[in-house]
Amino acid sequence: MQLENQPLSLQLDAILVVDDSTVQRAHTVGLCRELGVGVIYEAGNGVEALEMLVQLPIPPNVLVIDLEMPGMDGVELIQQLAQRSVHVPLIVASSRESALISSVETMVQALGMQVLAALQKPLNLPQLAAALQRYGRSQAARPSRKEATFGVEELRTALEANGIVPYYQPKVDVRTGVIKGVEALARWPQADGSMIPPDRFIPMAEQHGLIHALTMQIAEQACGQIARWNKHGLRLSVAINLSPILLDSTNFVGEAAELLEHHALGADQVVWEITESSVVANLGAALGILARLRLKGFGLSIDDYGTGFSSMQQLARIPFTELKIDRSFVNGAAERHHLRVILQSALDMANRLSLITVAEGVETVEDWKLLQDFGCTLGQGYLIAKPMPGDELPIWLRKHTQHLRALREGRLHDKSDGLS
């Protein structure tokens, strides 16, 4: 954490503080000065802020916005910024209840804007420093080269050449820190060393009839990797994402079983992850395929639990073995009461149903400790490890064995000390 009177090493030129309270605004400005921010603008309301943004000689890198203001409140100001395509990272601040602040944070994200922090007032130095450091990290993480452009033919060629590969993100026992399994995540490496993320090519694969080939290619490579780890005494399970489109395929169950036979794997080493909205379109066919997968011994995981509207209904009618809680209910739960309540309720229910529970998006020790207290089975996230190629995982295990005790006892200080 940054110490007082030490400037932050950020690509930060200016900040605009929007708050109708003169006292609170002066307090925030003072904190910014302590953190070494050179140019600090002040606005007493939303209308004034919008007028300033088109006139300022140095545009602000970050806006600190109070929510409760007369005239144009902070929510309306944020909506106006989105309508005018002013996508400046935001710090939302309010003295109102945390549930309201969290709701506004979700709204900002839904509008496609970046929110660095959603904080209760009065602000303090560590909170503001952490938020501005997130801005610095986001700027440093921006790729220097242009994003790769591609079409369906390039994707088809990549599939024919086995150019889509799985990266593996460890899933570890929350009580012990010991690795129990991995999730296989599709990646498309480029010749220049860049990587096309799955959210760019998977929708295209689904739209153009390539998702079956993509899924089976990832599954084939993942099962081969699990078999190689087995031979070296590292027995793990692998979770593979299953597109809802394949829940209409009459051949899929047979193909999945053939993969096990080819690689001499037990069905308990493969878990198919299904998003909770996947089976709505063709319920009869989907339930038949999922039931047959369970009959053959495969695990079934309900992915992104809590993000849709049919979670309870899906749990009641599908033979899931695992419940995977979406990162939006995990990340920051230690600091937000309503998230803690939802998280604990989901874990309690899953435990009563004898389901394995997996928490996604674990990034802080505080959230890790909370998962331990709530009886979560497995954790996955950057506190533990980033996704990696299969041949790097044994190296990662040897290198980070010494961290397992610290992780188990919750003694890691932040994600930079973790197993990534």
Side-chain angles (χ1 to χ4, degrees):
M1 180 57 65
Q2 200 75 25
L3 299 177
E4 292 188 21
N5 302 319
Q6 286 188 333
L8 293 167
S9 298
L10 302 174
Q11 302 173 34
L12 186 63
D13 298 315
I15 282 181
L16 171 58
V17 179
V18 187
D19 196 322
D20 66 304
S21 167
T22 304
V23 174
Q24 292 282 0
R25 192 168 68 247
H27 172 68
T28 303
V29 169
L31 294 179
C32 291
R33 288 203 178 103
E34 285 191 67
L35 293 171
V37 180
V39 179
I40 306 168
Y41 302 114
E42 300 179 47
N45 55 64
V47 174
E48 184 181 342
L50 291 175
E51 292 174 351
M52 289 180 67
L53 284 170
V54 298
Q55 300 173 357
L56 294 174
I58 303 175
N61 305 105
V62 174
L63 303 184
V64 182
I65 298 179
D66 178 39
L67 295 184
E68 200 169 11
M69 296 185 290
M72 181 184 290
D73 59 42
V75 174
E76 187 179 359
L77 171 57
I78 293 167
Q79 292 171 333
Q80 286 291 323
L81 292 171
Q83 289 176 14
R84 301 179 188 204
S85 297
V86 181
H87 294 293
V88 180
L90 307 178
I91 297 172
V92 175
S94 178
S95 57
R96 296 294 297 270
E97 66 271 20
S98 61
L100 173 59
I101 299 171
S102 180
S103 178
V104 174
E105 179 182 20
T106 303
M107 179 203 76
V108 175
Q109 294 165 339
L111 290 171
M113 303 173 73
Q114 183 182 6
V115 56
L116 300 173
L119 306 171
Q120 281 192 302
K121 296 167 69 175
L123 302 182
N124 60 50
L125 195 67
Q127 284 178 327
L128 190 57
L132 295 182
Q133 285 171 332
R134 289 186 197 105
Y135 171 81
R137 285 195 294 269
S138 69
Q139 297 303 299
R142 286 186 175 179
S144 57
R145 43 183 172 259
K146 294 181 180 179
E147 279 194 341
T149 57
F150 61 92
V152 64
E153 289 308 315
E154 286 83 359
L155 178 57
R156 195 186 308 274
T157 300
L159 286 169
E160 291 171 353
N162 288 321
I164 311 293
V165 299
Y167 271 43
Y168 303 92
Q169 187 169 32
K171 297 156 65 174
V172 303
D173 189 304
V174 172
R175 294 174 297 106
T176 65
V178 174
I179 186 171
K180 295 296 184 180
V182 295
E183 180 179 2
L185 300 162
R187 296 291 186 266
W188 186 358
Q190 301 298 291
D192 63 357
S194 63
M195 194 78 68
I196 299 177
D199 59 358
R200 292 191 60 206
F201 63 83
I202 287 179
M204 180 180 290
E206 291 180 327
Q207 183 179 355
H208 294 278
L210 299 175
I211 192 62
H212 180 272
L214 173 58
T215 301
M216 297 314 297
Q217 187 171 122
I218 293 297
E220 168 68 35
Q221 294 179 73
C223 287
Q225 182 64 73
I226 289 292
R228 289 190 293 276
W229 286 335
N230 282 350
K231 289 180 180 178
H232 290 89
L234 180 60
R235 196 176 194 281
L236 303 173
S237 66
V238 60
I240 304 168
N241 289 284
L242 180 57
S243 169
I245 293 174
L246 295 184
L247 295 179
D248 281 334
S249 171
T250 56
N251 298 324
F252 177 73
V253 176
E255 291 175 314
E258 286 176 9
L259 275 178
L260 294 181
E261 184 177 353
H262 178 71
H263 293 287
L265 298 180
D268 63 328
Q269 286 193 270
V270 178
V271 178
W272 295 102
E273 290 192 358
I274 306 103
T275 56
E276 64 180 61
S277 59
S278 292
V279 299
V280 173
N282 191 345
L283 181 61
L287 288 177
I289 287 173
L290 295 172
R292 292 182 63 209
L293 287 172
R294 279 299 297 133
L295 285 172
K296 291 187 178 298
F298 290 102
L300 294 180
S301 176
I302 180 169
D303 195 14
D304 298 334
Y305 179 80
T307 58
F309 298 101
S310 55
S311 305
M312 296 290 188
Q313 189 178 45
Q314 300 292 49
L315 280 175
R317 64 190 181 186
I318 298 173
F320 287 112
T321 58
E322 179 181 286
L323 184 147
K324 197 166 190 181
I325 300 172
D326 186 70
R327 67 183 62 249
S328 62
F329 298 104
V330 176
N331 192 268
E335 301 173 355
R336 300 179 190 172
H337 174 71
H338 71 291
L339 285 185
R340 286 200 302 275
V341 172
I342 295 170
L343 177 61
Q344 186 172 23
S345 298
L347 290 171
D348 286 346
M349 178 192 62
N351 289 334
R352 292 186 181 190
L353 292 172
S354 299
L355 299 177
I356 295 169
T357 51
V358 182
E360 292 185 291
V362 185
E363 296 188 3
T364 69
V365 171
E366 290 74 22
D367 291 336
W368 176 266
K369 289 179 179 177
L370 196 66
L371 294 169
Q372 288 180 323
D373 293 340
F374 288 170
C376 185
T377 314
L378 303 174
Q380 178 181 346
Y382 278 18
L383 177 70
I384 303 153
K386 298 178 181 179
M388 66 190 78
D391 56 3
E392 290 183 11
L393 189 127
I395 301 170
W396 169 83
L397 275 174
R398 289 193 296 270
K399 181 180 177 183
H400 293 286
T401 298
Q402 64 269 30
H403 291 290
L404 292 179
R405 182 185 298 275
L407 187 61
R408 180 169 61 247
E409 298 176 0
R411 291 188 289 104
L412 296 177
H413 298 297
D414 55 41
K415 63 184 176 184
S416 65
D417 294 328
L419 305 184
S420 54

